[in-house]
Amino acid sequence: MYALVGGLLFCCLSCRNSVVLYSYLPVDPHGWNCTDTLHFELSADSVAALHTYSLGVRFTEEVAFSGLWLVLEQRPFLTDKALQLPPPRRDTLYLPLTDDKGKWNATGVVCHEVQAVCTAAQTPPNIPLHLLVYHIMPKQEISGILEVGLKVE
């Protein structure tokens, strides 16, 4: 009996949608400059939680690179300056756009999309986060990128 109840409870809990943020933001259609930082907000949760952060891009065939170097910064913020904030965190992701043979490693025909896990990190309780995304490619401005996305699970 306990095994049946435990199995049903496990099924119910594992079927929950665990996505807390999933958003794409557009970049300048003339080119995404390394100083064009995208801003996302993650609301505070009442308890500390381990989240997985994924980055994605939607792009056209104008992209002249086989992959992109992206940075995700997590900056805690509070309006109450008396509380101690945890330090900011910065993670770097190499997001491959093509396979070893140069074929697009993405879904889509005209507009391609690719996404990969960047990091897993503990979020502090009761503290919202500013999430910043930018590229660190050798060329300061890259063309062909339409949107950049962030998924937090």
Side-chain angles (χ1 to χ4, degrees), residues 32-119:
W32 184 24
N33 197 301
C34 61
T35 59
D36 295 338
T37 302
L38 300 167
H39 298 262
F40 300 88
E41 301 291 331
L42 185 61
S43 300
D45 199 352
S46 59
V47 295
L50 179 64
H51 290 293
T52 302
Y53 298 81
S54 299
L55 294 175
V57 294
R58 294 177 179 150
F59 62 97
T60 67
E61 296 193 10
E62 290 180 34
V63 174
F65 300 98
S66 59
L68 298 174
W69 285 101
L70 303 173
V71 175
L72 170 64
E73 285 189 27
Q74 301 170 42
R75 295 184 183 173
F77 70 96
L78 283 176
T79 55
D80 183 359
K81 301 296 183 193
L83 295 175
Q84 180 68 29
L85 288 176
R89 177 185 168 110
R90 183 179 297 141
D91 294 287
T92 304
L93 169 70
Y94 178 74
L95 186 62
L97 304 180
T98 65
D99 61 16
D100 295 338
K101 297 177 184 170
K103 184 179 176 195
W104 293 120
N105 191 21
T107 60
V109 177
V110 175
C111 175
H112 305 287
E113 182 176 338
V114 65
Q115 180 176 300
V117 172
C118 180
T119 189

Side-chain angles (χ1 to χ4, degrees), residues 123-136:
T123 56
N126 303 313
I127 299 177
L129 293 175
H130 283 298
L131 301 166
L132 311 175
V133 179
Y134 53 92
H135 76 80
I136 53 170

